[in-house]
Amino acid sequence: MPYDVTRTTLQGMTHIPPPAEELRLLDAELWQLDRRRAQLLTRRAWLVAALQPRPTTNPTPVASPRPETSAPGVQNLLLLLGGVLLTIAAMVFTLVSWGHLGIAGRGLVLGALTLAALAAPLPLVKRGLRSTAEAVAGLGLALTVLDAYALYEVALPGMGGAGYTAAASALLAGLWLAYGLLPRAAELRLPLPAALAAAQLPLSFWAISSSVGAHGIAAALLVTAAFDTVVALRVTIGAVRVVAAVGAYGLGSSGALTAGWLSWTATGPSAAARAAALILLAAAIALGAAWRGGLGKGHAVGLAVTSGLLAVAALGGAVRPAVPDAWTVPVHLACGIALLAAVRTGRLPETVRNGLAWSSAAVQGLAVLWALPLVALTLLGPVAWTFRAWSGAPANMRETVTVDVPWPPDMAAAPLVLVAVAAVLALAFRNTDRHAQALTGALVLTWAAALTVPAVLELPYTTGLLTLGALTAVALAAPYGQPTATILALATSADLAFTALASQTATLTALGALTAFFAAVSWRLTSITAPAALAYATALACATGAAADWQPQHTALLVLVVPVAAALIAPRVTERIPLEVAGAVAGLLAIGLAATDLPMLALVLALCAVIAAGTAIRPDRRPVGYAAAVLFVLATWVRLAAWEVDMPEAYTIPVTVPALVVGFLRLRRDPLTSSWTAFGPGLAATLLPSLAAAWTDPHWTRPLLLGLAALSLTLLGAGYNLRAPLLLGGTVLALDALHELAPYIVQVTDALPRWVLPALAGLLLLALGATYEQRIRNVRRAREILGRMN
């Protein structure tokens, strides 16, 4: 361009669009660039995916299996088994092969074995083989017992067994104690607990040999338990404390139970007083252990509970011979309630007070349990009128409840016991957060007492029916304690219904009144009272059919009115499930009534299926359609049975084939469906009934065909990796083969002496255990050397 071109000429030659037009052009170019960039990114992603290798399903690396047992555990098990087997072998040798040796030979063998077994642990402990030393020491202690037995058989056969046991156990306890206190043997954990275990016997067997009677034996047991309690509280060695605790609990329980039996069988004040003193001794032992502390809160509370119960048993047992038998339980209950006074004192530790409170509650609970048989008899006794319906009204309520069961003796004070416990519940928890629960319990106990009063007082039959009706209304109208009060009202109404079965008029009147009453109050408690109304309506239908002399299969058609009513009413109430359940139960009852007539049963099943199908029309009850299908199938089966078709496959194959087709279609639609869901029900529907028929079939055709079918299913399951056909087919095949081969299964026995194998096994295990321990020590030593080198 020439140098002399002016600015005005350049401006006229250059085309510059307006700002708005230039912005539009820029936006268009940017849009084109973004579109092209998106296309390029899509192509790039496709190329990257095509070039990458397809992921292969590499097997998950399996972690190396962890050992299920530790080396010391294996070692201890081997040593324990070896010692046990050697001990058994020694016992068998002593008891069986003893007669083949003379006196010198006997003493030499047992003495040498005992000394060797007691001396061997000392060098073993010195070498560090402590577990092996424990096993050998246990064998030595067992041999000393065999020595004592051998001494009795050879030298002292005329001495009494109990007296010799007392002396021998005392001697063994001292010997084992001295052995356990030796310098090297003190490191062993077995001798001292064994000495304490042997010390449990002398006093008890001395009492047996001295003929001091049951009181003396109980006293010996309790004194030994007291000794064990002191040892358990003062000794710090764990194994010794465990043995002492076991002895204290075992012998203390035995002594307390013996004293309790003596108190229960005492016929005079003197015997009762002696037994009470023994029980108080047991209570003092338990209370002292609880007061001593150091046993944990739960343990101390348990001992305090035991002490309180024993004190109640002692005081009540001492008073029992002086009062009538009907007042035995009330006297013990009074003693148990009196324990609450000791609970309120502040001098006792908290754990002891808690334990005494629990013992008082236990006494009251036992008193309630004593009265429960009368409550159960009053509530369940009228059920027997089901088998004697309309045979005539009895004279009074006691005869009503004792149709098949005699009246329990000495139960006149049962209502008083129930009311007393109810009063304690209502008063003891007045200012606590459990007041509502206590009032509910008091309500239940008061109801139980009121239920038993008509039978206890022998009220007339009509008066008893009116009393039960009034109790039902009062319990249902209770302003507190719901829904417990409603449940009590239902129980009382059931008792009224069964009691009314003695008379036809009373039955129809009571069932009609109960149906109307529960239907009238269903506006308040639909979930409970509405099903009760349907239940009583069902009973009323059955009673009406029986009063009209209808056959049960014809009465079933009348009972079906109840499920129809339930199906019609359920959509109009909020709580539908209880109502529908009651209707379903009534339908089942109708099926049961028609079970004796197969054509009528098929009709009833078909009608139940129609009711279920009508219920399944509702959107929220679609699953009921499955029940309808099942009922239709059952109706078909019953019709086949009525036609005397007896092959099970005729019933099962028509169900199996559509079930397998449906399962196959579902598996194709959802490949993740389990084979159990797809094929399990269909296969089981035919395989299991056919297997049951094959086990009772004397011919070979059905077992052969069933085995071939099961084999085919097993192969198909294995070929297609389907678990349901594989397991079902294999199980049926195995059971079918077992049925065919069962007569040919035999069992053989060997003729070796029975003590040889345990002895050889014991020696082998003991040797393996010692070697195992030595190897463990070598490995630990090598590890320590390598650690020091590092």
Side-chain angles (χ1 to χ4, degrees):
M1 178 180 295
Y3 178 75
D4 55 354
V5 176
T6 63
R7 181 180 301 272
T8 303
T9 304
L10 290 173
Q11 289 179 354
M13 294 175 61
T14 305
H15 175 71
I16 300 176
E21 180 66 17
E22 185 177 4
L23 180 61
R24 185 184 65 80
L25 294 174
L26 290 175
D27 288 340
E29 291 292 336
L30 289 174
W31 182 79
Q32 291 289 343
L33 291 174
D34 289 340
R35 188 173 117 185
R36 183 60 178 167
R37 185 173 183 275
Q39 292 177 351
L40 294 175
L41 288 175
T42 302
R43 181 63 179 174
R44 181 182 182 278
W46 184 86
L47 292 172
V48 169
L51 292 176
Q52 286 183 352
R54 294 184 181 272
T56 58
T57 57
N58 295 326
T60 304
V62 181
S64 59
R66 298 178 58 185
E68 297 182 358
T69 57
S70 61
V74 175
Q75 161 205 313
N76 294 333
L77 179 61
L78 292 174
L79 293 174
L80 177 62
L81 289 176
V84 169
L85 290 175
L86 280 178
T87 303
I88 294 174
M91 292 175 61
V92 173
F93 171 76
T94 304
L95 297 175
V96 177
S97 302
W98 185 255
H100 299 292
L101 299 176
I103 296 178
R106 299 171 188 177
L108 182 62
V109 171
L110 278 182
L113 289 176
T114 304
L115 292 177
L118 291 177
L122 302 180
L124 290 175
V125 170
K126 184 176 181 181
R127 295 185 59 187
L129 301 176
R130 184 168 300 174
S131 298
T132 306
E134 294 281 358
V136 178
L139 177 61
L141 297 180
L143 288 175
T144 57
V145 178
L146 294 177
D147 291 338
Y149 171 76
L151 180 62
Y152 175 75
E153 290 291 334
V154 174
L156 303 170
M159 187 175 181
Y164 181 78
T165 302
S169 58
L171 182 62
L172 288 176
L175 177 63
W176 293 349
L177 177 62
Y179 180 72
L181 295 178
L182 293 176
R184 289 291 183 186
E187 301 181 17
L188 298 175
R189 293 174 293 181
L190 188 59
L192 293 181
L196 183 59
Q200 310 300 309
L201 304 178
L203 196 57
S204 302
F205 278 92
W206 171 82
I208 295 174
S209 64
S210 300
S211 301
V212 293
H215 291 82
I217 294 174
L221 292 173
L222 291 175
V223 170
T224 308
F227 167 73
D228 291 331
T229 303
V230 174
V231 173
L233 293 175
R234 294 186 176 274
V235 175
T236 58
I237 301 175
V240 176
R241 294 190 65 182
V242 169
V243 175
V246 172
Y249 280 112
L251 297 181
S253 301
S254 301
L257 290 175
T258 304
W261 177 76
L262 292 173
S263 175
W264 183 256
T265 57
T267 57
S270 176
R274 286 184 293 164
L278 292 174
I279 299 175
L280 287 177
L281 174 59
I285 295 172
L287 182 62
W291 203 320
R292 173 68 169 76
L295 300 175
K297 184 177 179 180
H299 202 167
V301 170
L303 289 173
V305 169
T306 304
S307 175
L309 292 176
L310 291 174
V312 170
L315 297 177
V319 178
R320 184 186 59 81
V323 298
D325 292 339
W327 290 94
T328 299
V329 174
V331 166
H332 285 81
L333 177 62
C335 296
I337 295 175
L339 285 177
L340 296 176
V343 173
R344 296 185 178 275
T345 61
R347 299 180 181 180
L348 299 176
E350 181 181 0
T351 54
V352 175
R353 284 188 280 117
N354 292 337
L356 293 179
W358 280 108
S359 61
S360 175
V363 171
Q364 297 178 55
L366 291 174
V368 171
L369 288 177
W370 169 78
L372 279 184
L374 180 61
V375 178
L377 176 63
T378 307
L379 190 62
L380 301 178
V383 177
W385 287 105
T386 305
F387 307 99
R388 301 183 182 183
W390 303 348
S391 59
N396 54 59
M397 289 299 294
R398 181 173 293 187
E399 294 181 4
T400 304
V401 301
T402 56
V403 180
D404 293 331
V405 181
W407 181 260
D410 304 326
M411 296 295 290
L416 179 61
V417 168
L418 295 173
V419 171
V421 178
V424 171
L425 280 177
L427 297 176
F429 296 92
R430 284 179 299 177
N431 300 322
T432 63
D433 54 352
R434 298 182 179 178
H435 188 216
Q437 293 86 345
L439 288 179
T440 301
L443 173 65
V444 174
L445 293 175
T446 305
W447 165 83
L451 188 68
T452 59
V453 166
V456 172
L457 298 181
E458 301 186 40
L459 296 179
Y461 178 71
T462 305
T463 305
L465 291 179
L466 294 176
T467 303
L468 292 176
L471 184 59
T472 300
V474 170
L476 194 62
Y480 62 90
Q482 297 294 346
T484 304
T486 303
I487 297 175
L488 298 179
L490 290 176
T492 310
S493 65
D495 188 23
L496 172 60
F498 284 113
T499 304
L501 288 176
S503 171
Q504 178 178 340
T505 304
T507 300
L508 296 175
T509 304
L511 291 177
L514 290 173
T515 302
F517 175 71
F518 280 100
V521 299
S522 294
W523 60 271
R524 187 166 64 94
L525 295 170
T526 307
S527 61
I528 299 178
T529 56
L534 289 181
Y536 288 122
T538 304
L540 181 61
C542 295
T544 303
D549 291 332
W550 290 0
Q551 295 295 325
Q553 59 269 23
H554 298 143
T555 305
L557 297 177
L558 183 60
V559 174
L560 283 179
V561 176
V562 176
V564 172
L568 294 176
I569 297 173
R572 294 171 176 79
V573 297
T574 304
E575 299 175 350
R576 305 171 182 174
I577 295 180
L579 204 64
E580 293 172 345
V581 170
V585 172
L588 292 176
L589 177 60
I591 294 173
L593 290 174
T596 57
D597 190 347
L598 292 183
M600 185 61 70
L601 178 59
L603 176 61
V604 171
L605 287 171
L607 292 176
C608 291
V610 171
I611 298 173
T615 304
I617 297 176
R618 292 158 44 193
D620 57 338
R621 292 293 182 266
R622 298 296 188 197
V624 183
Y626 296 107
V630 171
L631 289 172
F632 278 123
V633 171
L634 289 177
T636 305
W637 286 354
V638 171
R639 177 55 61 183
L640 289 173
W643 290 338
E644 298 183 356
V645 178
D646 56 357
M647 292 182 60
E649 290 78 11
Y651 298 84
T652 59
I653 290 178
V655 178
T656 296
V657 172
L660 293 179
V661 171
V662 172
F664 178 73
L665 294 177
R666 180 173 180 180
L667 188 62
R668 288 190 59 184
R669 189 184 305 112
D670 185 9
L672 298 180
T673 303
S674 172
S675 63
W676 288 107
T677 304
F679 304 118
L683 294 176
T686 293
L687 289 177
L688 298 183
S690 297
L691 179 62
W695 272 65
T696 57
D697 193 345
H699 304 289
W700 59 270
T701 306
R702 177 178 276 116
L704 177 61
L705 295 178
L706 179 61
L708 293 176
L711 177 61
S712 302
L713 286 176
T714 305
L715 295 177
L716 286 175
Y720 289 97
N721 295 327
L722 296 177
R723 185 174 298 176
L726 179 63
L727 293 182
L728 282 175
T731 303
V732 172
L733 180 61
L735 292 176
D736 189 42
L738 178 63
H739 172 261
E740 295 300 316
L741 297 178
Y744 304 100
I745 299 176
V746 295
Q747 191 174 14
V748 296
T749 58
D750 53 17
L752 289 176
R754 297 191 176 183
W755 63 271
V756 173
L757 290 179
L760 294 177
L763 290 174
L764 178 61
L765 291 176
L766 194 61
L768 288 176
T771 307
Y772 208 85
E773 183 177 12
Q774 183 64 40
R775 291 177 181 176
I776 293 175
R777 291 184 63 243
N778 294 337
V779 170
R780 289 176 179 173
R781 187 176 303 169
R783 186 184 303 169
E784 292 175 359
I785 293 173
L786 292 176
R788 289 195 298 266
M789 292 175 62
N790 190 22

